Amino acid sequence: CRRVGFMPSGVRIPHCPPMLIRNAILKDLNRLKEIEDAAFGRQKINENRFTIKTRLLAFPKGIFVAESGGKVVGYTASELRGRITRFALDYDARTRHSPKGPYMYIATLAVDPKFHGQGIGQVLLRKQLVLAKKLKLRAVVLSTWYARKYYPRFGFKVYRTIYLKNGEINYHIFIREVG
């Protein structure tokens, strides 16, 4: 099953299990942490439970989940920022979220590995892009190394490359203008 394009909440795609996209709630927190660990634990860039919870408290309309068969199978979380900032792990999102900030920072886009290849990440990413447009933001920003080939397909460009002290690339900051 392959999904293409943005699907509104609850749309059924022929030959695909029903997928619901909705805002996350505190009750989802344990499952979000499980997905975070499954998606990013091997790279040791998985967020702690506290950070996920504070993102939900700081900007609840910026956290979406994909649900299939009553189970959360993926999620994305964003914050608004006043400026483009570097990647960080394990912080209180309430101290970084800027309600009137012109930049959306997509902090997480994670899908349970058992559900990879079904277009769930695409749908969640497009949901964030629609929200950014609705909020009339300047740009959407994210940081990644592992998915550096994924985001250009959605109009993201490398804004800055962050290097380790030994000169190796640590990660890229990507940006996509909203428009």
PDB file of all heavy atoms in Angstrom, residues 149-170:
ATOM      1  N   LYS A 149      18.233  12.766   2.511  1.00  0.00           N
ATOM      2  CA  LYS A 149      17.767  12.595   1.130  1.00  0.00           C
ATOM      3  C   LYS A 149      16.246  12.627   1.025  1.00  0.00           C
ATOM      4  O   LYS A 149      15.705  12.718  -0.065  1.00  0.00           O
ATOM      5  CB  LYS A 149      18.306  11.285   0.551  1.00  0.00           C
ATOM      6  CG  LYS A 149      19.825  11.298   0.405  1.00  0.00           C
ATOM      7  CD  LYS A 149      20.340  10.007  -0.150  1.00  0.00           C
ATOM      8  CE  LYS A 149      21.857  10.067  -0.266  1.00  0.00           C
ATOM      9  NZ  LYS A 149      22.431   8.808  -0.725  1.00  0.00           N
ATOM     10  N   TYR A 150      15.572  12.559   2.150  1.00  0.00           N
ATOM     11  CA  TYR A 150      14.106  12.505   2.179  1.00  0.00           C
ATOM     12  C   TYR A 150      13.474  13.887   1.993  1.00  0.00           C
ATOM     13  O   TYR A 150      12.559  14.061   1.187  1.00  0.00           O
ATOM     14  CB  TYR A 150      13.676  11.890   3.520  1.00  0.00           C
ATOM     15  CG  TYR A 150      12.185  11.739   3.718  1.00  0.00           C
ATOM     16  CD1 TYR A 150      11.472  10.746   3.058  1.00  0.00           C
ATOM     17  CD2 TYR A 150      11.490  12.585   4.577  1.00  0.00           C
ATOM     18  CE1 TYR A 150      10.110  10.593   3.247  1.00  0.00           C
ATOM     19  CE2 TYR A 150      10.127  12.434   4.768  1.00  0.00           C
ATOM     20  CZ  TYR A 150       9.442  11.443   4.111  1.00  0.00           C
ATOM     21  OH  TYR A 150       8.101  11.297   4.302  1.00  0.00           O
ATOM     22  N   TYR A 151      13.945  14.867   2.730  1.00  0.00           N
ATOM     23  CA  TYR A 151      13.266  16.162   2.790  1.00  0.00           C
ATOM     24  C   TYR A 151      13.350  17.016   1.520  1.00  0.00           C
ATOM     25  O   TYR A 151      12.403  17.760   1.237  1.00  0.00           O
ATOM     26  CB  TYR A 151      13.739  16.936   4.020  1.00  0.00           C
ATOM     27  CG  TYR A 151      13.265  16.267   5.283  1.00  0.00           C
ATOM     28  CD1 TYR A 151      14.115  15.480   6.047  1.00  0.00           C
ATOM     29  CD2 TYR A 151      11.938  16.365   5.691  1.00  0.00           C
ATOM     30  CE1 TYR A 151      13.665  14.835   7.187  1.00  0.00           C
ATOM     31  CE2 TYR A 151      11.478  15.722   6.832  1.00  0.00           C
ATOM     32  CZ  TYR A 151      12.353  14.954   7.571  1.00  0.00           C
ATOM     33  OH  TYR A 151      11.903  14.311   8.684  1.00  0.00           O
ATOM     34  N   PRO A 152      14.401  16.945   0.699  1.00  0.00           N
ATOM     35  CA  PRO A 152      14.386  17.728  -0.548  1.00  0.00           C
ATOM     36  C   PRO A 152      13.201  17.407  -1.464  1.00  0.00           C
ATOM     37  O   PRO A 152      12.743  18.267  -2.212  1.00  0.00           O
ATOM     38  CB  PRO A 152      15.724  17.380  -1.203  1.00  0.00           C
ATOM     39  CG  PRO A 152      16.615  17.104  -0.028  1.00  0.00           C
ATOM     40  CD  PRO A 152      15.713  16.367   0.959  1.00  0.00           C
ATOM     41  N   ARG A 153      12.653  16.197  -1.356  1.00  0.00           N
ATOM     42  CA  ARG A 153      11.474  15.837  -2.170  1.00  0.00           C
ATOM     43  C   ARG A 153      10.266  16.699  -1.831  1.00  0.00           C
ATOM     44  O   ARG A 153       9.307  16.754  -2.598  1.00  0.00           O
ATOM     45  CB  ARG A 153      11.108  14.372  -1.958  1.00  0.00           C
ATOM     46  CG  ARG A 153      12.171  13.417  -2.433  1.00  0.00           C
ATOM     47  CD  ARG A 153      11.718  11.993  -2.370  1.00  0.00           C
ATOM     48  NE  ARG A 153      11.421  11.593  -1.004  1.00  0.00           N
ATOM     49  CZ  ARG A 153      10.889  10.436  -0.673  1.00  0.00           C
ATOM     50  NH1 ARG A 153      10.572   9.556  -1.595  1.00  0.00           N
ATOM     51  NH2 ARG A 153      10.668  10.135   0.584  1.00  0.00           N
ATOM     52  N   PHE A 154      10.310  17.351  -0.673  1.00  0.00           N
ATOM     53  CA  PHE A 154       9.195  18.188  -0.209  1.00  0.00           C
ATOM     54  C   PHE A 154       9.548  19.674  -0.244  1.00  0.00           C
ATOM     55  O   PHE A 154       8.891  20.481   0.399  1.00  0.00           O
ATOM     56  CB  PHE A 154       8.779  17.759   1.210  1.00  0.00           C
ATOM     57  CG  PHE A 154       8.361  16.319   1.267  1.00  0.00           C
ATOM     58  CD1 PHE A 154       9.278  15.338   1.606  1.00  0.00           C
ATOM     59  CD2 PHE A 154       7.071  15.935   0.940  1.00  0.00           C
ATOM     60  CE1 PHE A 154       8.919  14.003   1.635  1.00  0.00           C
ATOM     61  CE2 PHE A 154       6.704  14.601   0.963  1.00  0.00           C
ATOM     62  CZ  PHE A 154       7.630  13.636   1.311  1.00  0.00           C
ATOM     63  N   GLY A 155      10.580  20.016  -0.996  1.00  0.00           N
ATOM     64  CA  GLY A 155      10.947  21.418  -1.166  1.00  0.00           C
ATOM     65  C   GLY A 155      11.914  21.965  -0.132  1.00  0.00           C
ATOM     66  O   GLY A 155      12.188  23.163  -0.122  1.00  0.00           O
ATOM     67  N   PHE A 156      12.460  21.124   0.735  1.00  0.00           N
ATOM     68  CA  PHE A 156      13.432  21.584   1.732  1.00  0.00           C
ATOM     69  C   PHE A 156      14.816  21.697   1.096  1.00  0.00           C
ATOM     70  O   PHE A 156      15.189  20.879   0.252  1.00  0.00           O
ATOM     71  CB  PHE A 156      13.504  20.613   2.916  1.00  0.00           C
ATOM     72  CG  PHE A 156      12.336  20.711   3.845  1.00  0.00           C
ATOM     73  CD1 PHE A 156      11.178  19.993   3.611  1.00  0.00           C
ATOM     74  CD2 PHE A 156      12.384  21.541   4.961  1.00  0.00           C
ATOM     75  CE1 PHE A 156      10.091  20.070   4.469  1.00  0.00           C
ATOM     76  CE2 PHE A 156      11.306  21.629   5.834  1.00  0.00           C
ATOM     77  CZ  PHE A 156      10.161  20.896   5.580  1.00  0.00           C
ATOM     78  N   LYS A 157      15.565  22.717   1.530  1.00  0.00           N
ATOM     79  CA  LYS A 157      16.936  22.930   1.059  1.00  0.00           C
ATOM     80  C   LYS A 157      17.855  23.052   2.267  1.00  0.00           C
ATOM     81  O   LYS A 157      17.440  23.508   3.331  1.00  0.00           O
ATOM     82  CB  LYS A 157      17.008  24.207   0.229  1.00  0.00           C
ATOM     83  CG  LYS A 157      16.181  24.110  -1.022  1.00  0.00           C
ATOM     84  CD  LYS A 157      16.241  25.353  -1.841  1.00  0.00           C
ATOM     85  CE  LYS A 157      15.391  25.067  -3.080  1.00  0.00           C
ATOM     86  NZ  LYS A 157      14.936  26.178  -3.756  1.00  0.00           N
ATOM     87  N   VAL A 158      19.115  22.674   2.073  1.00  0.00           N
ATOM     88  CA  VAL A 158      20.084  22.805   3.156  1.00  0.00           C
ATOM     89  C   VAL A 158      20.303  24.292   3.430  1.00  0.00           C
ATOM     90  O   VAL A 158      20.624  25.067   2.532  1.00  0.00           O
ATOM     91  CB  VAL A 158      21.417  22.114   2.823  1.00  0.00           C
ATOM     92  CG1 VAL A 158      22.459  22.405   3.904  1.00  0.00           C
ATOM     93  CG2 VAL A 158      21.216  20.615   2.672  1.00  0.00           C
ATOM     94  N   TYR A 159      20.087  24.681   4.667  1.00  0.00           N
ATOM     95  CA  TYR A 159      20.276  26.058   5.115  1.00  0.00           C
ATOM     96  C   TYR A 159      21.680  26.217   5.710  1.00  0.00           C
ATOM     97  O   TYR A 159      22.361  27.196   5.475  1.00  0.00           O
ATOM     98  CB  TYR A 159      19.209  26.399   6.157  1.00  0.00           C
ATOM     99  CG  TYR A 159      19.380  27.721   6.855  1.00  0.00           C
ATOM    100  CD1 TYR A 159      19.012  28.909   6.219  1.00  0.00           C
ATOM    101  CD2 TYR A 159      19.895  27.780   8.143  1.00  0.00           C
ATOM    102  CE1 TYR A 159      19.160  30.122   6.866  1.00  0.00           C
ATOM    103  CE2 TYR A 159      20.044  28.991   8.791  1.00  0.00           C
ATOM    104  CZ  TYR A 159      19.673  30.159   8.148  1.00  0.00           C
ATOM    105  OH  TYR A 159      19.820  31.371   8.787  1.00  0.00           O
ATOM    106  N   ARG A 160      22.093  25.211   6.485  1.00  0.00           N
ATOM    107  CA  ARG A 160      23.406  25.249   7.127  1.00  0.00           C
ATOM    108  C   ARG A 160      23.834  23.818   7.431  1.00  0.00           C
ATOM    109  O   ARG A 160      23.009  22.975   7.743  1.00  0.00           O
ATOM    110  CB  ARG A 160      23.329  26.052   8.424  1.00  0.00           C
ATOM    111  CG  ARG A 160      24.667  26.198   9.127  1.00  0.00           C
ATOM    112  CD  ARG A 160      24.575  27.019  10.400  1.00  0.00           C
ATOM    113  NE  ARG A 160      24.117  28.367  10.102  1.00  0.00           N
ATOM    114  CZ  ARG A 160      23.379  29.108  10.928  1.00  0.00           C
ATOM    115  NH1 ARG A 160      23.019  28.648  12.097  1.00  0.00           N
ATOM    116  NH2 ARG A 160      23.013  30.319  10.582  1.00  0.00           N
ATOM    117  N   THR A 161      25.124  23.583   7.366  1.00  0.00           N
ATOM    118  CA  THR A 161      25.687  22.297   7.739  1.00  0.00           C
ATOM    119  C   THR A 161      26.492  22.488   9.020  1.00  0.00           C
ATOM    120  O   THR A 161      27.293  23.416   9.112  1.00  0.00           O
ATOM    121  CB  THR A 161      26.579  21.736   6.612  1.00  0.00           C
ATOM    122  OG1 THR A 161      25.763  21.590   5.436  1.00  0.00           O
ATOM    123  CG2 THR A 161      27.162  20.389   6.980  1.00  0.00           C
ATOM    124  N   ILE A 162      26.264  21.612   9.984  1.00  0.00           N
ATOM    125  CA  ILE A 162      26.953  21.678  11.264  1.00  0.00           C
ATOM    126  C   ILE A 162      28.005  20.563  11.281  1.00  0.00           C
ATOM    127  O   ILE A 162      27.686  19.401  11.011  1.00  0.00           O
ATOM    128  CB  ILE A 162      25.965  21.502  12.445  1.00  0.00           C
ATOM    129  CG1 ILE A 162      24.803  22.503  12.336  1.00  0.00           C
ATOM    130  CG2 ILE A 162      26.687  21.605  13.784  1.00  0.00           C
ATOM    131  CD1 ILE A 162      25.192  23.963  12.337  1.00  0.00           C
ATOM    132  N   TYR A 163      29.229  20.944  11.600  1.00  0.00           N
ATOM    133  CA  TYR A 163      30.346  20.006  11.572  1.00  0.00           C
ATOM    134  C   TYR A 163      30.805  19.635  12.984  1.00  0.00           C
ATOM    135  O   TYR A 163      30.688  20.432  13.910  1.00  0.00           O
ATOM    136  CB  TYR A 163      31.537  20.616  10.819  1.00  0.00           C
ATOM    137  CG  TYR A 163      31.256  20.838   9.361  1.00  0.00           C
ATOM    138  CD1 TYR A 163      30.712  22.038   8.910  1.00  0.00           C
ATOM    139  CD2 TYR A 163      31.516  19.842   8.420  1.00  0.00           C
ATOM    140  CE1 TYR A 163      30.438  22.238   7.568  1.00  0.00           C
ATOM    141  CE2 TYR A 163      31.246  20.037   7.076  1.00  0.00           C
ATOM    142  CZ  TYR A 163      30.703  21.244   6.658  1.00  0.00           C
ATOM    143  OH  TYR A 163      30.436  21.430   5.339  1.00  0.00           O
ATOM    144  N   LEU A 164      31.351  18.436  13.101  1.00  0.00           N
ATOM    145  CA  LEU A 164      32.013  18.013  14.326  1.00  0.00           C
ATOM    146  C   LEU A 164      33.398  18.658  14.383  1.00  0.00           C
ATOM    147  O   LEU A 164      33.894  19.173  13.370  1.00  0.00           O
ATOM    148  CB  LEU A 164      32.156  16.482  14.350  1.00  0.00           C
ATOM    149  CG  LEU A 164      30.860  15.682  14.344  1.00  0.00           C
ATOM    150  CD1 LEU A 164      31.148  14.196  14.117  1.00  0.00           C
ATOM    151  CD2 LEU A 164      30.118  15.888  15.655  1.00  0.00           C
ATOM    152  N   LYS A 165      34.044  18.607  15.527  1.00  0.00           N
ATOM    153  CA  LYS A 165      35.379  19.195  15.679  1.00  0.00           C
ATOM    154  C   LYS A 165      36.399  18.563  14.743  1.00  0.00           C
ATOM    155  O   LYS A 165      37.350  19.214  14.327  1.00  0.00           O
ATOM    156  CB  LYS A 165      35.843  19.079  17.126  1.00  0.00           C
ATOM    157  CG  LYS A 165      35.092  19.997  18.050  1.00  0.00           C
ATOM    158  CD  LYS A 165      35.568  19.870  19.474  1.00  0.00           C
ATOM    159  CE  LYS A 165      34.724  20.774  20.356  1.00  0.00           C
ATOM    160  NZ  LYS A 165      35.074  20.654  21.761  1.00  0.00           N
ATOM    161  N   ASN A 166      36.188  17.294  14.385  1.00  0.00           N
ATOM    162  CA  ASN A 166      37.130  16.611  13.488  1.00  0.00           C
ATOM    163  C   ASN A 166      36.863  16.911  12.006  1.00  0.00           C
ATOM    164  O   ASN A 166      37.519  16.363  11.136  1.00  0.00           O
ATOM    165  CB  ASN A 166      37.120  15.109  13.742  1.00  0.00           C
ATOM    166  CG  ASN A 166      35.811  14.450  13.358  1.00  0.00           C
ATOM    167  OD1 ASN A 166      34.926  15.072  12.782  1.00  0.00           O
ATOM    168  ND2 ASN A 166      35.679  13.169  13.679  1.00  0.00           N
ATOM    169  N   GLY A 167      35.881  17.762  11.716  1.00  0.00           N
ATOM    170  CA  GLY A 167      35.584  18.155  10.344  1.00  0.00           C
ATOM    171  C   GLY A 167      34.505  17.336   9.658  1.00  0.00           C
ATOM    172  O   GLY A 167      34.081  17.673   8.558  1.00  0.00           O
ATOM    173  N   GLU A 168      34.061  16.259  10.288  1.00  0.00           N
ATOM    174  CA  GLU A 168      32.989  15.455   9.700  1.00  0.00           C
ATOM    175  C   GLU A 168      31.651  16.159   9.878  1.00  0.00           C
ATOM    176  O   GLU A 168      31.446  16.898  10.833  1.00  0.00           O
ATOM    177  CB  GLU A 168      32.922  14.079  10.373  1.00  0.00           C
ATOM    178  CG  GLU A 168      34.098  13.194  10.072  1.00  0.00           C
ATOM    179  CD  GLU A 168      33.978  11.837  10.746  1.00  0.00           C
ATOM    180  OE1 GLU A 168      32.846  11.442  11.102  1.00  0.00           O
ATOM    181  OE2 GLU A 168      35.013  11.186  10.928  1.00  0.00           O
ATOM    182  N   ILE A 169      30.738  15.896   8.939  1.00  0.00           N
ATOM    183  CA  ILE A 169      29.402  16.480   9.038  1.00  0.00           C
ATOM    184  C   ILE A 169      28.655  15.832  10.197  1.00  0.00           C
ATOM    185  O   ILE A 169      28.603  14.604  10.306  1.00  0.00           O
ATOM    186  CB  ILE A 169      28.618  16.295   7.727  1.00  0.00           C
ATOM    187  CG1 ILE A 169      29.277  17.100   6.607  1.00  0.00           C
ATOM    188  CG2 ILE A 169      27.155  16.712   7.902  1.00  0.00           C
ATOM    189  CD1 ILE A 169      28.669  16.875   5.234  1.00  0.00           C
ATOM    190  N   ASN A 170      28.072  16.665  11.046  1.00  0.00           N
ATOM    191  CA  ASN A 170      27.242  16.189  12.148  1.00  0.00           C
ATOM    192  C   ASN A 170      25.790  16.092  11.685  1.00  0.00           C
ATOM    193  O   ASN A 170      25.171  15.046  11.808  1.00  0.00           O
ATOM    194  CB  ASN A 170      27.384  17.120  13.343  1.00  0.00           C
ATOM    195  CG  ASN A 170      26.747  16.590  14.598  1.00  0.00           C
ATOM    196  OD1 ASN A 170      26.251  15.470  14.623  1.00  0.00           O
ATOM    197  ND2 ASN A 170      26.735  17.389  15.632  1.00  0.00           N
TER     198      ASN A 170
END
